[in-house]
Structure formats: C-alpha cells, structure tokens
Amino acid sequence: MLNKRIIFQTYVNATVNENGFLLTDDQRWQDHKKVWAGIKTLKGREYYEAAATQNENQVKFITRYHAGITADMRIKMGERVFEIQSVVDVDEKHKELNIMAKEQV
C-alpha cells in the first residue's frame, strides 16, 4: 500500500565560477521528485543483517519505478530524513523500486 508521501532530494552545490570555486556557501538539499511510497519495517533476516551493520533505524521504502533515483539522494518524509543505502529495480522490470534507507537521527 503506497500511502506515505515522500520527497527524493538531491544535494546541490552553489554556483561555481570559471575557476571552479564556489561563489557562495549555499550548499543544500533540493527537492527532486515527490512520490507515494509504502514503508516496511525490517523483519527476520533483513532485520538481523541491518543489526549486524548497526543500522538500527533502517527501513525499506517501496515505490513505483521512477528513472533517475540513486543512492546519492536522500528521502524526506515529513520531518524525518533518510539516507538512501541502495535502490533496487525489482526484477529489472521498471515497475517497482525497493529502497533501503537509514534514518538520520
């Protein structure tokens, strides 16, 4: 059930001059795409694998397929922020994405 509204965000650097230097310190996360998603808590083997790497706040997001979603992005859900660990195109059918993410505390 895709009942949570999430926003994929990309990290954007400020304007760069011809020498490659930042003109300002305006580095920030910028909204990339807003989508509906389901969120699953980890159970069984997934839970123990996450615990072994000490990712206690790790969750799985399930969304419809969206091209261009990468592990360099982050997810914002309300006031909560999640660092994307992996993005999997389920069975490479371009229909569904499984995204493993760790909550930033």
Side-chain angles (χ1 to χ4, degrees), residues 88-94 96:
V88 177
D89 178 6
V90 177
D91 298 329
E92 295 187 22
K93 292 184 178 180
H94 297 339
E96 180 180 316

Side-chain angles (χ1 to χ4, degrees), residues 17-95:
N17 67 15
E18 64 276 354
N19 296 324
F21 294 104
L22 293 176
L23 295 176
T24 64
D25 289 334
D26 189 22
Q27 298 175 340
R28 65 187 182 286
W29 288 95
Q30 185 176 48
D31 292 355
H32 174 72
K33 184 171 226 148
K34 191 181 288 191
V35 301
W36 289 102
I39 186 170
K40 299 268 185 182
T41 55
L42 301 182
K43 299 176 188 170
R45 190 178 84 185
E46 288 177 322
Y47 174 80
Y48 290 109
E49 287 175 359
T53 59
Q54 298 182 6
N55 291 331
E56 291 84 13
N57 296 332
Q58 192 160 7
V59 296
K60 181 194 294 186
F61 289 94
I62 300 166
T63 70
R64 291 182 180 86
Y65 178 81
H66 301 281
I69 303 302
T70 67
D72 295 337
M73 298 177 171
R74 75 177 188 179
I75 294 173
K76 189 170 183 190
M77 184 175 72
E79 296 300 314
R80 298 168 70 189
V81 176
F82 298 84
E83 176 185 339
I84 296 177
Q85 302 293 309
S86 67
V87 179
V88 177
D89 178 6
V90 177
D91 298 329
E92 295 187 22
K93 292 184 178 180
H94 297 339
K95 292 187 177 193

